[in-house]
Amino acid sequence: MHCPAQLRSKLPDVGTTIFTVIGDLASQYQALNLSQGAPNFDCDPRLVDRTVDAMRAGKNQYAGMTGLPALRSAIAAKCLARTGVAYDPDDEVTVVASASQGLYAAIAGLVHPGDEVIYFDPAFDSYAPVVRLQGATPIPIKLTPNGFRIPWAEVASEISPRTRMIIVNTPHNPTATVFSADDLEQLAALTAGTNIIVLSDEVYEHVVFDGAEHYGVARHPALADRSVIVASFGKSYHVTGWRVGYCLASAALMVEIRKIHQFMMFAADTPMQYGFADLMQDPSTYEGLSAFYQRKRDLLVGALAGSRFELLPSAGSFFLLARFNGFSSERDNDFVLRLIREHRVATIPLSAFYSDGTDLGIIRLSFSKDEATLLEGARRLSAV
Ligand code: GLN
């Protein structure tokens, strides 16, 4: 087909997301896929049963715009039990059609043209483009080169009267670091007395290792008041293809987020919401997740012990960073392509998460995979 209209791209420098590019290459070369943070194993069969039950019972029409009441109540109850913060299920909880959509609705609802939004590189790839689509300016700040921590003094110096939002993410994709109580204190201190809203991407809230706790923004009451939390059922229940997540925010913020959500999706899928509402009654469905993924992390780390990669610490999330520049001077993009073509294993180059393409000679591995895939992936990586 041929479009006769003159097109001016709204995101001229943005291509197809790295997860799709690498996923396509992985299928083309029949490579083992350790790239996307998507499980290749089944979810709890009860979740499918309850969802199918809902479909058979005719729950196939629009859910309420803000989400199924039983699910919103379950989400609020979980948050109260974990943090002591009470979100009103009617006004302060919204079920969204994926965390990605929740992030979009939060940014579009709360960021104005001319605003500045601080975020941290390396970052999930949607933040900056969505900020730019609002006519606002993303301000990337690099995490520290050692340990990938937030350089709070630098954040303080970047805050200006135009700063509308700070986007944080814990556990962190792609670096697998997690917030400490001190990170929350610093963030609270920097934003106190300002109009800055914190957007907190907490999709890996239930995946924190080695006995550490999840320091999400709801753990700090002053921060919770000025924050939007975005979370994911896909990540917590091994169903990333179902596209259901949720947002938590004070009612004043949520009103604006819902104005966008209603015109993007109107509502998230109905039968799945019945399934999640039912499974959430049993807290063990998410409480065991840290231990479950820690075993996967340890399996992959153990299986890569004899390889040439230097493995960086993974404190949470589905990810493990592996440094290859000790034995190869290739650019990370080239290295990843070579791994796919010659070793038939797919990973993500860390540079894809940097707005300026910084290349540290590191790749990201996802261990949200079954044992056989992890062992075979490690075997192929060890042959490099
Ligand atoms: N969060 C997933 C990852 O980082 C990808 C999500 C997506 O592709 N939208 O691998």
Side-chain angles (χ1 to χ4, degrees):
M1 285 195 288
H2 172 73
C3 171
Q6 281 275 340
L7 260 195
R8 197 156 57 85
S9 172
K10 297 189 77 171
L11 295 169
D13 53 335
V14 171
T16 302
T17 172
I18 187 74
F19 306 110
T20 300
V21 171
I22 298 288
D24 289 350
L25 282 170
S27 9
Q28 188 186 330
Y29 287 90
Q30 294 176 341
L32 208 89
N33 202 339
L34 299 185
S35 64
Q36 202 175 27
N40 70 339
F41 43 83
D42 283 336
C43 66
D44 187 325
R46 289 175 298 169
L47 182 58
V48 174
D49 289 344
R50 294 295 89 80
T51 299
V52 171
D53 289 348
M55 288 181 183
R56 292 202 198 287
K59 310 291 188 194
N60 298 306
Q61 308 308 325
Y62 300 123
M65 183 271 275
T66 61
L68 204 69
L71 184 55
R72 283 188 278 107
S73 295
I75 294 165
K78 179 186 83 167
C79 190
L80 181 64
R82 282 166 60 84
T83 66
V85 176
Y87 285 88
D88 180 334
D90 289 331
D91 298 326
E92 300 181 327
V93 181
T94 301
V95 180
V96 290
S98 80
S100 287
Q101 189 241 322
L103 290 167
Y104 195 110
I107 295 169
L110 299 168
V111 172
H112 294 251
D115 285 348
E116 291 180 355
V117 175
I118 291 174
Y119 72 105
F120 301 95
D121 264 348
F124 187 59
D125 62 350
S126 85
Y127 303 156
V130 176
V131 167
R132 286 164 51 205
L133 286 170
Q134 314 314 315
T137 306
I139 309 285
I141 295 178
K142 282 197 173 88
L143 297 177
T144 58
N146 286 320
F148 296 111
R149 309 303 307 181
I150 292 182
W152 290 109
E154 198 181 332
V155 181
S157 71
E158 289 289 349
I159 288 178
S160 82
R162 287 183 301 282
T163 308
R164 162 63 45 186
M165 180 179 271
I166 300 178
I167 305 177
V168 296
N169 169 217
T170 182
H172 189 255
N173 178 9
T175 67
T177 53
V178 299
F179 265 26
S180 63
D182 183 58
D183 285 315
L184 289 185
E185 287 300 334
Q186 302 264 10
L187 185 58
L190 280 181
T191 52
T194 71
N195 285 323
I196 298 172
I197 295 159
V198 174
L199 175 56
S200 187
D201 175 349
E202 300 185 16
V203 300
Y204 301 103
E205 61 180 333
H206 296 298
V207 189
V208 180
F209 305 138
D210 306 314
E213 291 170 56
H214 171 56
Y215 283 100
V217 291
R219 292 283 295 267
H220 193 295
L223 261 181
D225 284 340
R226 61 169 66 251
S227 298
V228 181
I229 296 171
V230 176
S232 162
F233 286 107
K235 299 289 186 191
S236 298
Y237 285 89
H238 316 323
V239 285
T240 59
W242 286 16
R243 317 305 291 138
V244 186
Y246 62 89
C247 291
L248 300 171
S250 65
L253 297 175
M254 193 58 93
V255 165
E256 300 306 322
I257 296 170
R258 288 178 175 179
K259 287 179 188 174
I260 307 296
H261 166 69
Q262 66 185 349
F263 295 134
M264 286 182 78
M265 306 308 300
F266 180 63
D269 288 359
T270 305
M272 281 73 170
Q273 295 193 55
Y274 279 93
F276 292 126
D278 204 70
L279 259 76
M280 282 190 81
Q281 302 309 314
D282 173 6
S284 76
T285 56
Y286 50 84
E287 280 172 352
L289 212 61
S290 290
F292 175 82
Y293 274 109
Q294 185 170 324
R295 283 193 296 275
K296 293 193 177 295
R297 177 201 67 176
D298 292 346
L299 184 75
L300 182 60
V301 167
L304 284 171
S307 77
R308 301 171 81 191
F309 291 94
E310 179 199 338
L311 306 179
L312 305 190
S314 168
S317 81
F318 291 178
F319 307 115
L320 175 68
L321 294 186
R323 188 184 283 284
F324 64 85
N325 61 1
F327 61 87
S328 163
S329 55
E330 287 163 279
R331 292 190 349 203
D332 66 356
N333 285 312
D334 295 334
F335 184 72
V336 162
L337 280 179
R338 191 161 70 80
L339 288 184
I340 295 174
R341 290 195 186 117
E342 294 177 15
H343 297 273
R344 293 196 303 117
V345 57
T347 63
I348 305 273
L350 189 64
S351 65
F353 299 91
Y354 277 95
S355 39
D356 66 357
T358 292
D359 180 352
L360 299 174
I362 292 175
I363 56 174
R364 190 197 78 171
L365 313 177
S366 167
F367 49 80
S368 61
K369 307 295 167 187
D370 60 29
E371 210 173 296
T373 304
L374 292 174
L375 291 175
E376 178 58 19
R379 196 188 64 75
R380 294 183 191 189
L381 288 168
S382 300
V384 178

